Amino acid sequence: MDIRIGNGYDVHALAPGLPLWLGGIQIDSPIGCIAHSDGDVAIHALCDALLGALALGDIGKHFPDTYEEFAGIDSKILLSRVVELIRKEGWKVSNADITIAMQKPKLAPYITAMRECMASVMGVDPDRISVKATTTEKLGFVGRSEGCEVYAVALLVKE
Ligand code: MG
């Protein structure tokens, strides 16, 4: 069996009054990500993990933030394009595991919706997409709510 693993990492700065999108879901929050796209830092890390598994570069290479067509873009569109690319290369997603580090708001109420949303975009069962959330115990830029940090791992299997 031919398998590939990839990891992804992304950070966005947070600012008051911006919408907060994570895992394809809008979170009720007074702060949101500063970004060229919708700022869905969880999907961005996931895309990088998927691309990384096939050594296809990163999200910035495929969707440059200097291009007007990607301004404010729904990151679910980026995720669906990445999955399409993976399928074209002859691979399918086995599973992915995503860890979101954010001090506040509490993300627990949104985890199931994020998993279902990303799984549906990727065309896989939700039990193949894991989302975990953690604070950093008020330490560092995440702890000060200056930014949101996400780590992702994805496993691909040759079709
Ligand atoms: Mg990003």
Side-chain angles (χ1 to χ4, degrees):
M1 186 171 65
D2 202 356
I3 59 173
R4 299 280 181 88
I5 192 167
N7 86 88
Y9 172 74
D10 197 21
V11 171
H12 278 258
L14 293 162
L18 295 175
L20 178 63
W21 288 91
L22 287 172
I25 302 294
Q26 187 163 18
I27 312 291
D28 185 20
S29 169
I31 48 176
C33 289
I34 299 170
H36 183 70
S37 66
D38 66 1
D40 194 324
V41 57
I43 288 187
H44 297 175
L46 174 58
C47 286
D48 268 357
L50 295 166
L51 291 168
L54 297 184
L56 290 172
D58 58 35
I59 193 173
K61 175 186 156 186
H62 292 269
F63 313 108
D65 64 8
T66 48
Y67 283 25
E68 205 41 51
E69 72 171 294
F70 301 126
I73 196 169
D74 181 342
S75 293
K76 292 188 276 293
I77 296 169
L78 307 183
L79 178 59
S80 70
R81 289 202 201 164
V82 166
V83 171
E84 201 180 293
L85 189 63
I86 282 163
R87 289 214 179 96
K88 268 194 207 137
E89 298 274 330
W91 295 80
K92 68 175 184 185
V93 178
S94 174
N95 75 303
D97 186 19
I98 299 156
T99 300
I100 304 169
M102 198 167 185
Q103 191 60 41
K104 59 185 180 193
K106 281 267 170 268
L107 299 177
Y110 301 97
I111 298 285
T112 303
M114 288 187 216
R115 292 178 54 211
E116 285 171 354
C117 178
M118 288 186 286
S120 123
V121 171
M122 297 166 79
V124 300
D125 291 335
D127 70 353
R128 291 180 180 273
I129 307 299
S130 161
V131 176
K132 309 191 298 292
T134 185
T135 70
T136 58
E137 299 292 339
K138 298 192 175 165
L139 296 170
F141 71 88
V142 170
R144 293 188 296 271
S145 285
E146 292 167 5
C148 177
E149 180 176 49
V150 180
Y151 299 86
V153 179
L155 192 77
L156 307 184
V157 179
K158 190 84 177 169
E159 292 254 52

